[in-house]
Amino acid sequence: MAHDVHKVRAFDHPGEGRRRAKATPKGRQVDPTAAHEIAELLGDRPRRRDLLIEHLHLIQDTYHQISAAHLAALADEMKLSFAEVFETATFYAHFDVVKEGEPDLPPLTVRVCDSLSCAMMGGEQLLSDLQAQAGPGIRVVRAPCVGLCDCAPVAEVGHHFVHQATAAEVLATAGRGDSHPHIPDYIDYYAYVAGGGYKLFNDLRAGRISRDDILKVLDDASLRGLGGAGFPTGRKWRAVLGEPGPRLMAVNGDEGEPGTFKDRHYLNSDPHRFLEGTLIGAHVVEAGEVYIYIRDEYPAAREILAREIAKLPPGGPVLHLRRGAGAYICGEESSLLESIEGKRGLPRHKPPYPFQVGLFGLPTLINNVETLWWVRDLIEKGAGWWTSQGRNGRNGLRSYSVSGRVKEPGVKLAPSGVTVRELIDEFCGGMADGHTLYAYLPGGASGGILPASMDDIPLDFGTLEKYGCFIGSAAVIILSQQDSVRAAALNLMKFFEDESCGQCTPCRVGTQKAALLMREPVWNRALLDELSQAMRDASICGLGQAASNPLTSVIKYFPDEFKDAAE
């Protein structure tokens, strides 16, 4: 299996065929010192093209920046053109590329989250205070959502996160040299096995339970993809299995949607339940290799997975951990595949779809972390257990990531179809003191904004679309009377502007123009409506297609805050 996969990949490998003639990056001399440093840093690691981003991380982690000399040396070492390496390094926000003639960066970078939940909790003031107070050895920059919306505002010192951050605490953390991730308590391999873990996977491998048994439970339970798209899981697995092998599997752990942090919760607390679901999925579709892509903002989750994967007994699919580099677009499934292959995360045109032509050109099963986390429980407890959990006419359970103006933010495991009012009152301890519900985002940055008067809509797939919204990954952000939905919508549009991959004009230019128009004290509704429609109709992927949802929600549902230039 693995042999066949590598044969297919040979076209991507440097040093194969005609590429062998390329001795150095064309037109650029390699600094001998940099060449030695890169060769030493890579050691005996493979120089394959798909490992380019992993190697860039090695440079960034070691030198806290990536110099032009190191880029040229890496290109030479991997037998790639300098342009290929440069365009990949500069695409991702977490690679600090220093161009020729530019001064070196300070040794420590502090990133302050400026996404909606953190902005509501004082993120802008925190950023301003840190920029004014940080010493010469510290660089302070904005960062998009880091997946800690329940701990807002958040600052990242190296790879250490400061929750409910103040400038004094962040600078004290930097002064202590505390830049490593905090590893929380979690259920390790031995505790998981002691609790019955991996019995289901072993039964599947031994033939005591069949592939058809697994697929029937997934179908009967109507488990849907919990990364946002909601595609039926059983149908997806069958579609991949219907394609000729060899096949691969990829796990989407790049939940970059502002307001979303459920995957982080499950990876940091019970990683083997996710890993067992992953191994079961790979076995069912006969995937010999699995690529687990975890966002760079989750260093603790990556460390936990690396530790625990090493404890797994041999004989199952080969598990590869891949590290994102700060690009929201890589949560889109085809962009995810491009990034795993070591390239810029540019969405692919469809068809063909990833289940037909996916990673390295092979049929690929792609699932979200939480979707796989539920597989063991579903099989062991049965479809009836799952379907009996819903509320308001809906079925199943959902992990709602709740942040904003509630007393107890966090991941809330609740019945599918719970309303936002029920979610706040029953699972979040009510609204924060002094706050009343004014508006809410039912599905993260791209899921739209609804007023408090619409607090009785079941939160699930298919219930929000008629209102111009959707549930997505169930990231619920609560706004109160102290917040402005206009300011919230602008914050979200600026996020989409920054995170657009730039491949298609409707998204690249549309988000930029929309943000400019939304900064005006009076909005030009006709122009914004036309722009929003163009983005929805002509953008390549879901980022551009959904970026205008918060904007159109403000126009539709918040007349007191919206003023039309035509009036």
Side-chain angles (χ1 to χ4, degrees):
M1 176 64 154
H3 176 73
D4 291 335
V5 170
H6 286 116
K7 281 177 63 180
V8 174
R9 284 191 214 154
F11 297 105
D12 284 328
H13 289 184
E16 298 283 347
R18 285 176 293 174
R19 286 188 182 235
R20 196 167 291 156
K22 191 185 297 180
T24 59
K26 183 177 180 181
R28 184 177 296 272
Q29 295 301 310
V30 177
D31 178 74
T33 301
H36 175 74
E37 290 170 344
I38 293 300
E40 288 285 309
L41 190 61
L42 297 189
D44 60 358
R45 293 177 175 86
R47 270 57 168 174
R48 297 199 315 266
R49 175 68 172 84
D50 62 289
L51 292 173
L52 173 58
I53 292 173
E54 297 297 307
H55 296 342
L56 288 168
H57 275 301
L58 280 175
I59 301 172
Q60 178 74 42
D61 290 346
T62 303
Y63 296 99
H64 310 294
Q65 63 179 33
I66 302 177
S67 68
H70 281 149
L71 278 181
L74 180 64
D76 182 63
E77 187 72 20
M78 297 185 70
K79 302 297 184 286
L80 298 172
S81 70
F82 181 84
E84 286 179 277
V85 177
F86 181 82
E87 72 178 11
T88 300
T90 53
F91 180 85
Y92 294 93
H94 289 188
F95 294 141
D96 297 317
V97 177
V98 178
K99 300 174 184 177
E100 290 183 15
E102 294 181 346
D104 287 346
L105 297 176
L108 181 64
T109 294
V110 172
R111 302 180 189 274
V112 179
C113 180
D114 69 353
S115 290
L116 182 55
S117 296
C118 283
M120 290 165 58
M121 299 298 175
E124 285 293 331
Q125 187 61 52
L126 174 63
L127 176 68
S128 177
D129 291 345
L130 284 171
Q131 288 175 334
Q133 299 172 30
I138 301 176
R139 182 175 67 123
V140 179
V141 298
R142 293 178 180 272
C145 186
V146 297
L148 286 162
C149 315
D150 52 334
C151 306
V154 176
E156 182 182 5
V157 181
H159 288 298
H160 179 87
F161 293 90
V162 182
H163 301 173
Q164 286 93 36
T166 64
E169 187 178 0
V170 172
L171 294 175
T173 301
R176 292 193 301 268
D178 189 2
S179 61
H180 298 288
H182 167 71
I183 306 299
D185 293 332
Y186 64 91
I187 301 171
D188 69 2
Y189 174 76
Y190 306 105
Y192 183 74
V193 170
Y198 291 110
K199 180 182 183 303
L200 176 60
F201 177 57
N202 291 331
D203 286 347
L204 179 63
R205 292 178 66 189
R208 290 185 289 271
I209 184 172
S210 72
R211 171 194 300 156
D212 289 339
D213 292 334
I214 301 287
L215 290 171
K216 185 177 188 307
V217 173
L218 296 180
D219 290 340
D220 290 348
S222 299
L223 179 66
R224 300 176 67 167
L226 299 173
F231 193 84
T233 303
R235 193 191 308 173
K236 178 182 284 191
W237 289 20
R238 291 178 190 277
V240 175
L241 189 59
E243 295 294 316
R247 307 177 192 91
L248 296 173
M249 181 175 180
V251 177
N252 189 343
D254 194 60
E255 57 171 2
E257 183 85 2
T260 309
F261 45 90
K262 60 184 179 60
D263 291 351
R264 184 209 79 212
H265 169 75
Y266 288 120
L267 290 172
N268 285 4
S269 59
D270 196 357
H272 283 281
R273 195 169 298 267
F274 152 70
L275 288 172
E276 184 169 12
T278 300
L279 293 173
I280 289 169
H283 186 91
V284 167
V285 303
E286 300 176 1
E289 298 185 54
V290 181
Y291 288 78
I292 303 173
Y293 187 95
I294 303 296
R295 66 184 309 217
D296 198 30
E297 292 85 349
Y298 290 174
R302 288 198 317 275
E303 175 62 27
I304 289 170
L305 286 175
R307 290 180 187 179
E308 298 306 308
I309 288 172
K311 298 175 184 176
L312 294 176
V318 179
L319 302 182
H320 304 276
L321 266 183
R322 290 297 174 89
R323 179 178 172 185
Y328 166 74
I329 190 63
C330 291
E332 192 275 333
E333 61 177 9
S334 64
S335 301
L336 173 87
L337 300 180
E338 291 287 297
S339 190
I340 291 174
E341 292 180 3
K343 306 169 187 173
R344 294 176 294 166
L346 301 181
R348 298 175 181 177
H349 291 275
K350 302 171 188 177
Y353 296 95
F355 80 88
Q356 300 165 314
V357 180
L359 192 58
F360 305 116
L362 299 177
T364 303
L365 172 64
I366 306 175
N367 276 133
N368 167 259
V369 167
E370 191 200 353
T371 308
L372 296 167
W373 194 91
W374 282 113
V375 167
R376 176 190 165 189
D377 278 352
L378 269 175
I379 305 304
E380 290 183 345
K381 298 179 181 179
W385 164 79
W386 180 261
T387 56
S388 69
Q389 301 292 325
R391 188 180 290 189
N392 298 314
R394 315 303 295 181
N395 295 322
L397 294 167
R398 288 303 300 264
S399 303
Y400 296 92
S401 304
V402 186
S403 62
R405 309 295 189 178
V406 293
K407 284 184 179 178
E408 301 168 9
V411 176
K412 309 298 177 179
L413 184 59
S416 293
V418 69
T419 68
V420 73
R421 179 60 68 183
E422 293 168 337
L423 190 62
I424 293 169
D425 292 343
E426 297 178 34
F427 297 89
C428 300
M431 293 291 293
D433 291 339
H435 294 267
T436 57
L437 179 63
Y438 174 58
Y440 66 101
L441 282 68
S446 54
I449 308 175
L450 292 172
S453 60
M454 299 173 68
D455 64 355
D456 58 349
I457 303 170
L459 300 178
D460 197 14
F461 294 117
T463 61
L464 294 154
E465 283 76 2
K466 63 183 177 182
Y467 305 109
C469 301
F470 57 80
I471 187 68
S473 58
V476 181
I477 304 177
I478 306 298
L479 283 68
S480 78
Q481 80 282 4
Q482 296 187 19
D483 302 305
S484 162
V485 293
R486 271 182 57 127
L490 177 57
N491 176 284
L492 299 172
M493 188 60 73
K494 286 160 60 181
F495 170 82
F496 291 127
E497 178 188 0
D498 290 341
E499 294 298 325
S500 173
C501 75
Q503 181 178 193
C504 70
T505 302
C507 177
R508 182 185 67 250
V509 178
T511 52
Q512 178 191 40
K513 297 301 183 185
L516 285 172
L517 290 168
M518 292 167 71
R519 287 185 174 93
E520 295 296 322
V522 178
W523 287 2
N524 185 328
R525 176 172 183 169
L527 189 54
L528 284 169
D529 281 343
E530 184 180 356
L531 183 59
S532 298
Q533 191 64 49
M535 293 167 64
R536 284 193 294 269
D537 291 344
S539 295
I540 290 175
C541 79
L543 191 158
Q545 293 164 12
S548 63
N549 285 344
L551 157 65
T552 54
S553 295
V554 173
I555 294 173
K556 185 174 183 180
Y557 296 117
F558 297 91
D560 291 342
E561 289 202 38
F562 169 71
K563 295 180 181 179
D564 190 348
E567 294 177 356

